Amino acid sequence: VAPRLRTPEEAARRYAARDFSGTLSLLDELVRRAPDSPRWREMRAQALVDAKRFSESLDDYNAAQQQKGCRTRNVCSRGVRWHMRA
């Protein structure tokens, strides 16, 4: 039996339930499956911010900004840096 494919919808449900550990696990898998998609890195970065893992979120925001089709603006990463200083 093939392993069950995890979906973005499942990640969204876990995020809505504030299950950041589960959300991040799913998003890690999505990033591995589609490393050139900025969408998953953007989503993972936001989940990391909500989990108060600011340094890690910067890596994903910066990686997403380098990819074609990225919607993330520099304001996100600047905001995270501000939180880290506080």
Side-chain angles (χ1 to χ4, degrees):
V1 173
R4 188 170 143 266
L5 192 63
R6 294 173 153 194
T7 65
E9 292 79 16
E10 186 178 350
R13 281 192 300 274
R14 288 185 183 224
Y15 182 81
R18 311 300 280 171
D19 173 10
F20 299 125
S21 177
T23 301
L24 291 168
S25 174
L26 291 166
L27 290 170
D28 288 345
E29 184 176 323
L30 291 167
V31 167
R32 278 192 300 277
R33 288 190 340 217
D36 295 331
S37 172
R39 179 178 182 204
W40 310 133
R41 289 190 187 275
E42 289 172 320
M43 290 175 70
R44 188 169 66 179
Q46 186 57 55
L48 286 164
V49 167
D50 291 339
K52 308 275 190 262
R53 293 167 56 182
F54 301 118
S55 296
E56 294 169 81
S57 72
L58 279 175
D59 293 337
D60 273 340
Y61 276 129
N62 290 333
Q65 288 172 359
Q66 300 302 314
Q67 294 174 317
K68 185 177 181 178
C70 177
R71 299 168 308 182
T72 300
R73 296 180 294 155
N74 286 333
V75 70
C76 295
S77 57
R78 285 197 306 264
V80 171
R81 285 189 192 97
W82 182 83
H83 273 295
M84 290 174 60
R85 289 189 327 201

